[in-house]
Amino acid sequence: MRPRTGDEIALRGTTANVIARDGGIAGLHHPDGSPPYDVRWGAGEGVTPYFPGPDAYLRHPVAGGDHARSR
């Protein structure tokens, strides 16, 4: 997982194809993109450091409003 500022991080729910939570990468602590990441989870929740687990994946914004998925 190699995020860039502006990417989205999503956490899978317990049901197939359900996202339990998602947020935007607001900042990186290390130049190589290793965790923790500063993530803005939602409106009013602020930014928190996050160490991704096996249920997390990145979505890179792509021109046209779609997302490319990566692990």
Side-chain angles (χ1 to χ4, degrees):
M1 187 179 292
R2 294 287 177 234
R4 298 179 306 243
T5 301
D7 286 350
E8 293 180 357
I9 192 160
L11 308 175
R12 290 182 184 90
T14 56
T15 305
N17 298 321
V18 173
I19 296 174
R21 191 171 193 196
D22 63 353
I25 303 289
L28 302 173
H29 288 249
H30 305 286
D32 67 353
S34 60
Y37 313 133
D38 287 335
V39 177
R40 183 177 314 280
W41 290 108
E45 289 188 50
V47 175
T48 59
Y50 175 68
F51 287 88
D55 59 340
Y57 64 93
L58 290 176
R59 295 184 294 193
H60 302 288
V62 178
D66 203 358
H67 292 89
R69 185 173 154 183
S70 84
R71 285 191 163 251

